[in-house]
């Protein structure tokens, strides 16, 4: 039993579901969950870009959740399991650390369309996700 990977997978699935909620919730959900004013405006205009981008992100997060569940033995073994879990862990940590630093090092409008609060909060969340993946993946390697 690898409870850390079960938690990691559940968190990734939760994140995927929240992304899908943006599609159905519309511009207010995009804003509330930090997608930025531009995405909210495009969603309000009926542009397909926010829906497509959000579905791609939700699909990736779902895949990551499935890899965590596979590593925990909850579902069948997926290909390149350990390699993918290491990469997923790294991506969560890179996103987490980059989001804690980038808003303070750049004036890029793409970065600053979101608030400092968004960057700090979402980055801390990514670091927590990464920590569960790290602990669970390390346990898997020890088994």
């Amino acid at each position: 039993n690898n409870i850390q990977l079960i938690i990691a997978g559940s968190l990734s699935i939760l994140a995927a579901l929240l992304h899908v909620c943006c599609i159905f919730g519309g511009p207010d959900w995009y804003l509330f969950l930090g997608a930025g004013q531009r995405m909210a405006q495009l969603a309000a205009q009926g542009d397909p870009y926010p829906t497509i981008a959000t579905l791609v992100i939700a699909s990736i997060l779902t895949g990551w959740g499935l890899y965590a569940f596979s590593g925990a033995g909850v579902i069948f073994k997926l290909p390149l399991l350990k390699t993918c879990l290491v990469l997923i862990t790294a991506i969560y940590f890179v996103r987490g650390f980059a989001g804690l630093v980038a808003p303070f090092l750049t004036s890029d409008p793409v970065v600053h369309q979101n608030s400092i609060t968004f960057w700090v909060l979402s980055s801390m969340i990514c670091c927590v996700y990464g920590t569960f993946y790290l602990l669970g993946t390390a346990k898997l390697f020890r088994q």
Side-chain angles (χ1 to χ4, degrees):
N1 291 340
N2 192 323
I3 191 70
Q4 294 88 354
L5 282 178
I6 293 172
I7 293 169
S10 299
L11 290 171
S12 288
I13 297 296
L14 174 63
L17 290 173
L18 286 171
H19 278 79
V20 171
C21 286
C22 287
I23 296 168
F24 295 105
D28 291 337
W29 277 73
Y30 280 101
L31 283 174
F32 178 73
L33 292 175
Q37 188 65 39
R38 183 173 181 276
M39 287 287 276
Q41 287 173 341
L42 290 172
Q45 296 166 359
D47 190 297
Y49 176 76
T51 300
I52 293 167
T54 303
L55 284 174
V56 167
I57 293 168
S59 297
I60 290 167
L61 292 168
T62 298
W64 291 0
L66 292 175
Y67 266 90
F69 292 145
S70 178
V74 174
I75 64 170
F76 58 92
K77 186 175 180 195
L78 292 171
L80 300 170
L81 179 63
K82 290 180 179 179
T83 302
C84 287
L85 287 172
V86 168
L87 290 173
I88 293 164
T89 302
I91 292 167
Y92 271 124
F93 278 127
V94 167
R95 166 53 183 87
F97 294 136
L100 290 171
V101 173
F104 301 102
L105 296 181
T106 183
S107 58
D108 188 320
V110 173
V111 173
H112 287 282
Q113 74 176 345
N114 294 314
S115 69
I116 297 296
T117 303
F118 164 79
W119 283 110
V120 170
L121 187 60
S122 65
S123 296
M124 289 174 24
I125 289 169
C126 286
C127 287
V128 167
Y129 282 35
T131 300
F132 279 106
Y133 273 91
L134 176 64
L135 296 172
T137 301
K139 185 175 183 178
L140 182 63
F141 271 91
R142 287 191 307 267
Q143 291 175 344

